[in-house]
Amino acid sequence: MATKKNKPRERQIGKKQPQKKALIDPKYKNAVWTAVILIILTIFFIINNTRYVPESGPYPPNYDPAKHEHPNTTLNQTLYGTTQKDTINQHQ
């Protein structure tokens, strides 16, 4: 007579759940999340720097705004050792 070969099988406990397919391939998951975070941070940076919010609040005691001049946003050429003539020659 032929003998049966019994293969040892793993015992199944409970019902088998179907495997869920990932939305993003696990190989690219970190790259996608990094790109999403960088895009969100860039959007917040642009929004934060384009809005103009006037400074509010009371002045400190004994402060006279007429005596103080506002900060100058242009570069002082004497600090950098260049003149108007030097900057024109650099752009040519």
Side-chain angles (χ1 to χ4, degrees):
M1 294 220 151
T3 60
K4 279 188 176 180
K5 291 185 180 179
N6 290 334
K7 291 183 183 176
R9 291 188 298 170
E10 279 192 40
R11 198 170 151 199
Q12 180 180 355
I13 301 173
K15 294 182 179 179
K16 221 177 196 183
Q17 297 292 331
Q19 291 286 339
K20 290 184 181 178
K21 188 174 180 182
L23 182 65
I24 301 171
D25 187 16
K27 190 189 323 185
Y28 303 113
K29 191 174 181 182
N30 288 335
V32 169
W33 279 112
T34 302
V36 168
I37 297 298
L38 288 175
I39 290 170
I40 290 172
L41 288 176
T42 304
I43 290 170
F44 282 142
F45 181 78
I46 291 170
I47 290 172
N48 187 38
N49 289 321
T50 55
R51 289 188 305 155
Y52 176 74
V53 179
E55 295 179 14
S56 60
Y59 288 118
N62 300 328
Y63 179 79
D64 186 13
K67 290 182 182 177
H68 300 279
E69 51 181 80
H70 295 285
N72 191 358
T73 58
T74 60
L75 296 175
N76 189 347
Q77 298 298 331
T78 58
L79 292 176
Y80 295 103
T82 59
T83 61
Q84 185 71 17
K85 187 183 259 186
D86 293 336
T87 57
I88 291 173
N89 290 334
Q90 288 176 352
H91 293 293
Q92 291 178 352

